[in-house]
Amino acid sequence: MMVQTFLVIDDDAGDRKLLRRLISQRQEPSETQEAPTGAEAMNRNLAEPDMIFLDYMLPDTSGVELITELAQRWPRAAICMMTGQGDEEIAKESIRRGAIDYLPKRNLSPAALDRVIKTGCKLARMRWQLDEKREDLSMFSEVLVHDLKAPIRSMRFLVEKLQEDIAGGAAQEINRDVELIGKSADRLHDLVNSLAGHIHYDSETDEEVVHAAVLVEEACQVLLAEIERTEARITCDADGMVRCRTPQIVQLLQNLVGNAIKYAGQSPPRINVRCREGPEGLHFEVADQGVGVPPEHRETIFLPFKRLPVSASIPGTGLGLATCRKIVDRHGGRIWCDPEVSEGTIIHFTLPHRPQSLDRAG
Protein backbone atom coordinates (compact mmCIF):
# COMPACT_ATOMS: atom_id res chain seq x y z
CA MET A 1 0.00 0.00 0.00
CA MET A 2 1.30 3.45 -0.93
CA VAL A 3 2.45 5.67 1.93
CA GLN A 4 0.76 9.07 2.02
CA THR A 5 2.86 12.07 3.03
CA PHE A 6 1.43 15.03 4.93
CA LEU A 7 2.87 18.42 5.79
CA VAL A 8 1.55 20.37 8.78
CA ILE A 9 2.46 24.09 8.81
CA ASP A 10 1.41 25.49 12.18
CA ASP A 11 3.26 27.46 14.88
CA ASP A 12 1.19 25.84 17.65
CA ALA A 13 3.01 22.70 18.84
CA GLY A 14 -0.18 21.36 20.44
CA ASP A 15 -2.13 21.64 17.19
CA ARG A 16 0.67 19.94 15.29
CA LYS A 17 0.69 17.11 17.81
CA LEU A 18 -3.09 16.69 17.53
CA LEU A 19 -2.96 16.49 13.74
CA ARG A 20 -0.04 14.08 13.86
CA ARG A 21 -2.00 11.82 16.24
CA LEU A 22 -5.19 11.90 14.15
CA ILE A 23 -3.27 11.16 10.96
CA SER A 24 -1.49 8.21 12.62
CA GLN A 25 -4.86 6.71 13.62
CA ARG A 26 -5.93 6.29 9.99
CA GLN A 27 -5.71 2.83 8.44
CA GLU A 28 -3.58 3.98 5.51
CA PRO A 29 0.20 4.13 6.14
CA SER A 30 1.45 7.70 6.35
CA GLU A 31 4.35 10.02 7.10
CA THR A 32 3.92 13.45 8.67
CA GLN A 33 6.31 16.38 8.23
CA GLU A 34 6.03 19.56 10.28
CA ALA A 35 7.09 23.19 10.02
CA PRO A 36 6.26 25.99 12.50
CA THR A 37 6.54 28.79 9.91
CA GLY A 38 5.97 29.36 6.23
CA ALA A 39 9.63 30.20 5.64
CA GLU A 40 10.81 26.95 7.20
CA ALA A 41 8.34 24.93 5.12
CA MET A 42 9.57 26.58 1.92
CA ASN A 43 13.29 26.46 2.74
CA ARG A 44 13.59 22.92 4.07
CA ASN A 45 14.22 19.99 1.74
CA LEU A 46 10.89 18.27 2.36
CA ALA A 47 9.41 15.35 0.47
CA GLU A 48 6.52 16.28 -1.81
CA PRO A 49 3.37 15.96 0.32
CA ASP A 50 0.06 14.51 -0.78
CA MET A 51 -1.68 17.03 1.48
CA ILE A 52 -0.74 20.20 3.34
CA PHE A 53 -2.55 21.33 6.48
CA LEU A 54 -1.94 25.07 6.62
CA ASP A 55 -2.65 27.29 9.62
CA TYR A 56 -4.23 30.64 8.77
CA MET A 57 -2.21 32.64 11.32
CA LEU A 58 1.55 32.08 11.08
CA PRO A 59 4.32 34.14 12.75
CA ASP A 60 5.87 35.23 9.46
CA THR A 61 2.92 35.38 7.06
CA SER A 62 -0.75 34.72 6.52
CA GLY A 63 -1.58 31.19 5.48
CA VAL A 64 -3.68 32.58 2.63
CA GLU A 65 -0.66 34.46 1.27
CA LEU A 66 1.38 31.24 1.38
CA ILE A 67 -1.03 29.15 -0.70
CA THR A 68 0.30 30.29 -4.08
CA GLU A 69 3.93 29.57 -3.15
CA LEU A 70 3.05 26.13 -1.82
CA ALA A 71 1.03 25.29 -4.94
CA GLN A 72 3.91 26.34 -7.18
CA ARG A 73 6.40 24.21 -5.28
CA TRP A 74 4.12 21.17 -4.90
CA PRO A 75 1.49 21.37 -7.68
CA ARG A 76 0.09 17.90 -6.93
CA ALA A 77 -0.51 18.56 -3.22
CA ALA A 78 -3.95 19.22 -1.76
CA ILE A 79 -3.97 22.25 0.57
CA CYS A 80 -6.40 22.46 3.47
CA MET A 81 -6.67 25.79 5.30
CA MET A 82 -7.17 25.56 9.09
CA THR A 83 -8.20 28.26 11.54
CA GLY A 84 -8.82 28.50 15.26
CA GLN A 85 -12.22 30.08 14.55
CA GLY A 86 -14.54 29.47 11.62
CA ASP A 87 -14.71 32.31 9.10
CA GLU A 88 -16.61 32.13 5.83
CA GLU A 89 -14.57 34.92 4.21
CA ILE A 90 -11.30 33.13 5.02
CA ALA A 91 -12.72 29.94 3.53
CA LYS A 92 -13.76 31.74 0.32
CA GLU A 93 -10.41 33.46 -0.08
CA SER A 94 -8.50 30.25 0.60
CA ILE A 95 -10.43 28.32 -2.03
CA ARG A 96 -10.00 31.21 -4.49
CA ARG A 97 -6.22 31.11 -3.95
CA GLY A 98 -6.07 27.37 -4.60
CA ALA A 99 -6.86 25.52 -1.37
CA ILE A 100 -8.89 22.34 -1.77
CA ASP A 101 -10.74 22.54 1.54
CA TYR A 102 -11.22 24.55 4.73
CA LEU A 103 -11.49 23.13 8.24
CA PRO A 104 -11.93 25.02 11.56
CA LYS A 105 -9.76 23.43 14.25
CA ARG A 106 -12.74 23.08 16.56
CA ASN A 107 -14.23 20.63 14.05
CA LEU A 108 -11.19 18.37 14.04
CA SER A 109 -12.11 14.73 14.49
CA PRO A 110 -10.98 11.41 12.99
CA ALA A 111 -14.03 11.33 10.70
CA ALA A 112 -13.65 14.96 9.55
CA LEU A 113 -9.94 14.54 8.90
CA ASP A 114 -10.48 11.31 6.98
CA ARG A 115 -13.10 12.99 4.81
CA VAL A 116 -10.87 15.98 4.09
CA ILE A 117 -7.93 13.74 3.16
CA LYS A 118 -9.86 11.41 0.88
CA THR A 119 -11.81 14.07 -1.01
CA GLY A 120 -9.00 16.62 -0.97
CA CYS A 121 -6.34 14.29 -2.41
CA LYS A 122 -8.75 13.09 -5.09
CA LEU A 123 -9.68 16.64 -6.11
CA ALA A 124 -6.06 17.79 -6.10
CA ARG A 125 -5.07 14.89 -8.34
CA MET A 126 -7.88 15.68 -10.77
CA ARG A 127 -6.98 19.39 -10.80
CA TRP A 128 -3.32 18.62 -11.48
CA GLN A 129 -4.27 16.30 -14.33
CA LEU A 130 -6.52 18.99 -15.79
CA ASP A 131 -3.73 21.58 -15.51
CA GLU A 132 -1.39 19.18 -17.31
CA LYS A 133 -3.98 18.63 -20.01
CA ARG A 134 -4.51 22.39 -20.36
CA GLU A 135 -0.78 22.89 -20.84
CA ASP A 136 -0.73 20.00 -23.30
CA LEU A 137 -3.54 21.56 -25.29
CA SER A 138 -1.85 24.95 -25.33
CA MET A 139 1.07 23.25 -27.09
CA PHE A 140 -1.19 21.34 -29.43
CA SER A 141 -1.69 24.04 -32.05
CA GLU A 142 2.07 24.69 -32.19
CA VAL A 143 2.81 20.96 -32.52
CA LEU A 144 0.12 20.60 -35.17
CA VAL A 145 1.65 23.32 -37.34
CA HIS A 146 5.18 22.03 -36.72
CA ASP A 147 4.57 18.37 -37.54
CA LEU A 148 2.11 18.75 -40.42
CA LYS A 149 4.45 20.91 -42.48
CA ALA A 150 6.80 18.04 -43.39
CA PRO A 151 4.22 15.71 -45.02
CA ILE A 152 2.63 18.69 -46.78
CA ARG A 153 6.04 19.70 -48.19
CA SER A 154 6.59 16.08 -49.23
CA MET A 155 3.30 15.99 -51.13
CA ARG A 156 4.01 19.33 -52.82
CA PHE A 157 7.44 18.04 -53.86
CA LEU A 158 5.92 14.86 -55.28
CA VAL A 159 3.23 16.77 -57.16
CA GLU A 160 5.93 18.92 -58.79
CA LYS A 161 7.83 15.76 -59.78
CA LEU A 162 4.62 14.26 -61.16
CA GLN A 163 4.04 17.34 -63.29
CA GLU A 164 7.59 17.10 -64.64
CA ASP A 165 7.24 13.38 -65.41
CA ILE A 166 3.87 13.91 -67.12
CA ALA A 167 5.41 16.62 -69.28
CA GLY A 168 8.31 14.30 -70.11
CA GLY A 169 6.10 11.28 -70.77
CA ALA A 170 7.91 9.09 -68.22
CA ALA A 171 5.12 6.59 -67.56
CA GLN A 172 7.09 4.46 -65.07
CA GLU A 173 8.06 7.49 -63.01
CA ILE A 174 4.47 8.76 -63.12
CA ASN A 175 3.19 5.55 -61.56
CA ARG A 176 5.85 5.76 -58.86
CA ASP A 177 5.01 9.41 -58.11
CA VAL A 178 1.29 8.62 -57.80
CA GLU A 179 2.04 5.75 -55.42
CA LEU A 180 4.27 7.96 -53.25
CA ILE A 181 1.65 10.73 -53.16
CA GLY A 182 -0.88 8.17 -51.96
CA LYS A 183 1.49 7.02 -49.21
CA SER A 184 2.13 10.63 -48.17
CA ALA A 185 -1.62 11.23 -47.96
CA ASP A 186 -1.98 8.13 -45.78
CA ARG A 187 0.80 9.33 -43.48
CA LEU A 188 -0.83 12.76 -43.23
CA HIS A 189 -4.15 11.15 -42.34
CA ASP A 190 -2.52 8.99 -39.66
CA LEU A 191 -0.66 11.95 -38.20
CA VAL A 192 -3.83 14.05 -37.97
CA ASN A 193 -5.57 11.20 -36.14
CA SER A 194 -2.61 10.77 -33.81
CA LEU A 195 -2.39 14.47 -32.99
CA ALA A 196 -6.15 14.58 -32.44
CA GLY A 197 -5.58 12.06 -29.65
CA HIS A 198 -3.86 14.84 -27.70
CA ILE A 199 -7.16 16.71 -27.52
CA HIS A 200 -9.38 14.06 -26.02
CA TYR A 201 -8.61 13.17 -22.44
CA ASP A 202 -9.90 9.60 -22.69
CA SER A 203 -9.11 8.78 -26.32
CA GLU A 204 -6.91 6.01 -27.61
CA THR A 205 -5.29 5.38 -30.95
CA ASP A 206 -4.80 1.80 -32.07
CA GLU A 207 -1.54 0.09 -31.34
CA GLU A 208 0.04 -2.50 -33.59
CA VAL A 209 3.12 -4.66 -33.85
CA VAL A 210 5.45 -3.21 -36.46
CA HIS A 211 9.05 -3.70 -37.60
CA ALA A 212 11.50 -0.96 -36.69
CA ALA A 213 12.68 -0.61 -40.30
CA VAL A 214 9.12 0.14 -41.42
CA LEU A 215 8.89 2.97 -38.90
CA VAL A 216 12.12 4.50 -40.20
CA GLU A 217 11.05 4.09 -43.83
CA GLU A 218 7.73 5.86 -43.21
CA ALA A 219 9.45 8.72 -41.37
CA CYS A 220 11.85 9.22 -44.29
CA GLN A 221 8.91 9.12 -46.70
CA VAL A 222 7.45 12.16 -44.91
CA LEU A 223 10.78 13.98 -45.26
CA LEU A 224 11.29 13.36 -48.99
CA ALA A 225 11.37 17.05 -49.85
CA GLU A 226 14.01 17.86 -47.21
CA ILE A 227 16.11 14.82 -48.15
CA GLU A 228 16.09 15.75 -51.83
CA ARG A 229 16.77 19.44 -51.23
CA THR A 230 19.74 18.88 -48.89
CA GLU A 231 21.11 15.76 -50.63
CA ALA A 232 20.88 14.00 -47.30
CA ARG A 233 22.07 10.42 -47.09
CA ILE A 234 20.23 8.34 -44.53
CA THR A 235 21.31 4.82 -43.70
CA CYS A 236 19.16 2.46 -41.71
CA ASP A 237 20.28 -0.55 -39.70
CA ALA A 238 17.10 -1.35 -37.84
CA ASP A 239 15.94 -4.68 -36.54
CA GLY A 240 13.25 -5.79 -34.10
CA MET A 241 9.51 -5.65 -33.66
CA VAL A 242 7.63 -3.35 -31.29
CA ARG A 243 4.03 -2.81 -30.22
CA CYS A 244 3.31 0.90 -30.52
CA ARG A 245 1.07 3.59 -31.88
CA THR A 246 2.64 3.70 -35.31
CA PRO A 247 1.76 7.30 -36.34
CA GLN A 248 3.26 8.64 -33.11
CA ILE A 249 6.55 6.73 -33.51
CA VAL A 250 6.76 7.81 -37.16
CA GLN A 251 6.21 11.37 -35.95
CA LEU A 252 8.97 10.87 -33.37
CA LEU A 253 11.46 9.59 -35.97
CA GLN A 254 10.35 12.30 -38.39
CA ASN A 255 11.29 14.94 -35.83
CA LEU A 256 14.66 13.36 -34.99
CA VAL A 257 15.73 12.80 -38.59
CA GLY A 258 14.33 16.22 -39.56
CA ASN A 259 16.40 17.84 -36.82
CA ALA A 260 19.51 16.01 -38.01
CA ILE A 261 18.93 17.40 -41.50
CA LYS A 262 18.20 20.89 -40.21
CA TYR A 263 21.34 21.06 -38.03
CA ALA A 264 23.73 19.41 -40.48
CA GLY A 265 25.88 22.52 -40.83
CA GLN A 266 27.59 23.28 -44.13
CA SER A 267 28.00 19.67 -45.32
CA PRO A 268 25.23 17.49 -46.78
CA PRO A 269 23.51 15.61 -43.94
CA ARG A 270 24.82 12.14 -43.13
CA ILE A 271 22.45 10.34 -40.78
CA ASN A 272 22.42 6.80 -39.46
CA VAL A 273 19.39 5.28 -37.78
CA ARG A 274 20.12 2.12 -35.83
CA CYS A 275 17.80 -0.10 -33.82
CA ARG A 276 18.51 -3.21 -31.77
CA GLU A 277 16.98 -5.18 -28.94
CA GLY A 278 18.30 -3.92 -25.59
CA PRO A 279 17.72 -4.53 -21.88
CA GLU A 280 14.96 -1.88 -21.83
CA GLY A 281 13.26 -3.08 -25.03
CA LEU A 282 13.85 -1.77 -28.53
CA HIS A 283 16.74 0.73 -28.50
CA PHE A 284 16.88 3.34 -31.29
CA GLU A 285 19.81 5.63 -32.12
CA VAL A 286 19.64 8.56 -34.53
CA ALA A 287 23.20 9.70 -35.20
CA ASP A 288 24.38 12.62 -37.32
CA GLN A 289 27.58 14.49 -38.12
CA GLY A 290 26.08 17.94 -37.70
CA VAL A 291 26.77 20.91 -35.43
CA GLY A 292 26.20 18.90 -32.25
CA VAL A 293 24.64 19.80 -28.91
CA PRO A 294 26.80 21.52 -26.27
CA PRO A 295 27.02 19.43 -23.05
CA GLU A 296 25.20 22.08 -20.99
CA HIS A 297 22.15 21.82 -23.30
CA ARG A 298 21.84 18.04 -23.58
CA GLU A 299 19.22 17.86 -20.83
CA THR A 300 17.21 21.00 -21.64
CA ILE A 301 16.72 20.36 -25.37
CA PHE A 302 13.73 18.14 -24.56
CA LEU A 303 11.88 20.95 -22.78
CA PRO A 304 9.22 22.92 -24.69
CA PHE A 305 10.48 26.01 -26.55
CA LYS A 306 14.12 25.36 -25.59
CA ARG A 307 16.38 25.86 -28.60
CA LEU A 308 20.15 25.87 -29.01
CA PRO A 309 21.98 29.21 -29.36
CA VAL A 310 22.93 28.19 -32.91
CA SER A 311 19.20 27.94 -33.72
CA ALA A 312 18.69 31.70 -34.04
CA SER A 313 19.06 31.58 -37.82
CA ILE A 314 17.24 28.24 -38.24
CA PRO A 315 13.43 28.18 -38.46
CA GLY A 316 11.67 26.21 -35.73
CA THR A 317 9.37 26.37 -32.72
CA GLY A 318 11.41 24.53 -30.10
CA LEU A 319 8.65 21.91 -29.84
CA GLY A 320 10.06 19.06 -31.92
CA LEU A 321 12.11 17.37 -29.21
CA ALA A 322 9.53 18.17 -26.52
CA THR A 323 7.01 16.29 -28.65
CA CYS A 324 9.47 13.42 -28.99
CA ARG A 325 9.81 13.16 -25.23
CA LYS A 326 6.03 13.19 -24.77
CA ILE A 327 5.60 10.37 -27.29
CA VAL A 328 8.33 8.27 -25.68
CA ASP A 329 6.89 8.91 -22.20
CA ARG A 330 3.47 7.76 -23.37
CA HIS A 331 4.99 4.53 -24.63
CA GLY A 332 6.75 3.92 -21.31
CA GLY A 333 10.27 4.48 -22.67
CA ARG A 334 12.92 7.15 -22.24
CA ILE A 335 14.84 9.50 -24.52
CA TRP A 336 18.20 11.18 -24.07
CA CYS A 337 21.08 12.87 -25.85
CA ASP A 338 24.30 10.86 -25.79
CA PRO A 339 26.62 12.51 -23.21
CA GLU A 340 29.81 10.99 -24.62
CA VAL A 341 29.63 12.25 -28.20
CA SER A 342 32.13 15.00 -29.06
CA GLU A 343 31.25 15.45 -32.75
CA GLY A 344 27.74 15.46 -34.13
CA THR A 345 24.77 14.23 -32.12
CA ILE A 346 23.29 10.89 -31.15
CA ILE A 347 19.75 10.80 -29.78
CA HIS A 348 18.75 7.55 -28.08
CA PHE A 349 15.27 6.38 -27.21
CA THR A 350 13.81 3.11 -25.98
CA LEU A 351 10.43 1.51 -26.55
CA PRO A 352 9.78 -1.22 -23.98
CA HIS A 353 7.99 -4.41 -24.96
CA ARG A 354 4.32 -4.01 -24.07
CA PRO A 355 2.27 -7.20 -24.38
CA GLN A 356 -0.93 -5.41 -23.39
CA SER A 357 -2.59 -2.15 -24.39
CA LEU A 358 -0.71 1.05 -23.83
CA ASP A 359 -1.93 3.58 -21.29
CA ARG A 360 -4.57 5.98 -22.47
CA ALA A 361 -3.33 9.05 -24.30
CA GLY A 362 -2.84 12.04 -22.05
Side-chain angles (χ1 to χ4, degrees):
M1 187 178 294
M2 186 177 294
V3 177
Q4 284 188 305
T5 302
F6 301 94
L7 171 59
V8 180
I9 306 176
D10 195 322
D11 61 324
D12 189 310
D15 289 342
R16 295 200 307 271
K17 182 178 179 180
L18 174 60
L19 270 170
R20 188 169 63 248
R21 179 172 59 80
L22 291 175
I23 290 171
S24 68
Q25 290 175 356
R26 301 180 70 243
Q27 293 183 349
E28 291 83 358
S30 62
E31 295 178 354
T32 303
Q33 309 170 116
E34 299 178 17
T37 67
E40 185 169 335
M42 295 301 297
N43 293 332
R44 282 173 54 193
N45 185 24
L46 299 172
E48 182 171 8
D50 294 288
M51 190 158 201
I52 301 170
F53 292 99
L54 177 62
D55 188 24
Y56 174 66
M57 294 296 293
L58 294 168
D60 54 344
T61 186
S62 159
V64 171
E65 297 296 328
L66 193 59
I67 289 174
T68 302
E69 292 182 63
L70 293 170
Q72 288 175 347
R73 180 170 180 184
W74 294 300
R76 301 191 192 196
I79 300 175
C80 177
M81 179 62 70
M82 307 191 72
T83 65
Q85 301 295 325
D87 189 311
E88 187 174 332
E89 290 305 315
I90 295 175
K92 287 181 180 178
E93 182 63 16
S94 299
I95 300 298
R96 191 184 70 80
R97 295 286 185 105
I100 290 292
D101 211 336
Y102 168 82
L103 186 62
K105 293 182 181 179
R106 67 169 183 269
N107 293 342
L108 268 177
S109 67
L113 190 73
D114 196 57
R115 174 191 62 78
V116 167
I117 290 173
K118 286 181 178 178
T119 59
C121 288
K122 183 178 180 180
L123 286 171
R125 192 179 308 113
M126 290 173 59
R127 185 169 67 182
W128 177 78
Q129 289 173 338
L130 287 171
D131 286 342
E132 287 286 292
K133 178 55 63 175
R134 192 178 296 113
E135 181 181 346
D136 193 27
L137 291 176
S138 71
M139 290 175 56
F140 175 75
S141 60
E142 296 282 353
V143 173
L144 185 66
V145 171
H146 177 272
D147 289 345
L148 288 182
K149 282 182 177 179
I152 291 171
R153 284 194 299 268
S154 176
M155 292 179 71
R156 183 180 292 116
F157 167 74
L158 289 168
V159 168
E160 290 172 356
K161 275 187 91 294
L162 178 60
Q163 291 171 335
E164 292 174 3
D165 292 335
I166 290 174
Q172 186 174 354
E173 292 298 319
I174 290 171
N175 290 334
R176 178 178 176 275
D177 293 341
V178 170
E179 181 183 354
L180 290 176
I181 290 171
K183 288 183 177 180
S184 291
D186 290 341
R187 296 287 75 75
L188 187 58
H189 177 269
D190 290 342
L191 181 58
V192 169
N193 284 341
S194 176
L195 288 172
H198 289 263
I199 295 178
H200 303 292
Y201 195 77
D202 59 349
S203 68
E204 286 185 347
T205 51
D206 291 337
E207 59 189 63
E208 58 184 335
V209 177
V210 61
H211 197 283
V214 173
L215 297 170
V216 178
E217 180 184 355
E218 292 192 3
C220 292
Q221 172 74 34
V222 174
L223 295 166
L224 273 177
E226 285 81 354
I227 293 170
E228 180 87 4
R229 176 179 55 80
T230 61
E231 300 181 351
R233 188 174 69 202
I234 301 172
T235 57
C236 175
D237 180 16
D239 192 22
M241 307 290 292
V242 64
R243 180 181 293 276
C244 66
R245 297 183 179 114
T246 299
Q248 293 185 12
I249 303 305
V250 171
Q251 179 189 2
L252 162 63
L253 287 163
Q254 169 195 324
N255 280 336
L256 295 181
V257 174
N259 264 8
I261 293 174
K262 187 187 298 185
Y263 293 96
Q266 300 302 314
S267 303
R270 297 294 179 259
I271 302 158
N272 178 249
V273 183
R274 187 174 183 273
C275 179
R276 289 289 184 273
E277 294 284 350
E280 299 180 45
L282 216 56
H283 183 161
F284 285 80
E285 297 177 8
V286 179
D288 65 58
Q289 302 172 14
V291 299
V293 179
E296 64 271 21
H297 294 287
R298 290 178 183 176
E299 293 287 339
T300 61
I301 58 172
F302 297 102
L303 298 176
F305 307 110
K306 295 292 184 181
R307 306 190 71 206
L308 299 177
V310 72
S311 303
S313 60
I314 300 175
T317 62
L319 284 170
L321 290 177
T323 303
C324 290
R325 186 179 70 171
K326 183 177 289 292
I327 291 171
V328 171
D329 286 346
R330 287 181 171 179
H331 282 75
R334 65 188 186 98
I335 186 169
W336 69 100
C337 182
D338 197 311
E340 305 298 328
V341 174
S342 56
E343 294 183 4
T345 302
I346 301 179
I347 301 293
H348 302 259
F349 70 91
T350 59
L351 297 176
H353 296 302
R354 301 290 298 272
Q356 298 179 351
S357 295
L358 299 171
D359 296 331
R360 288 181 178 269

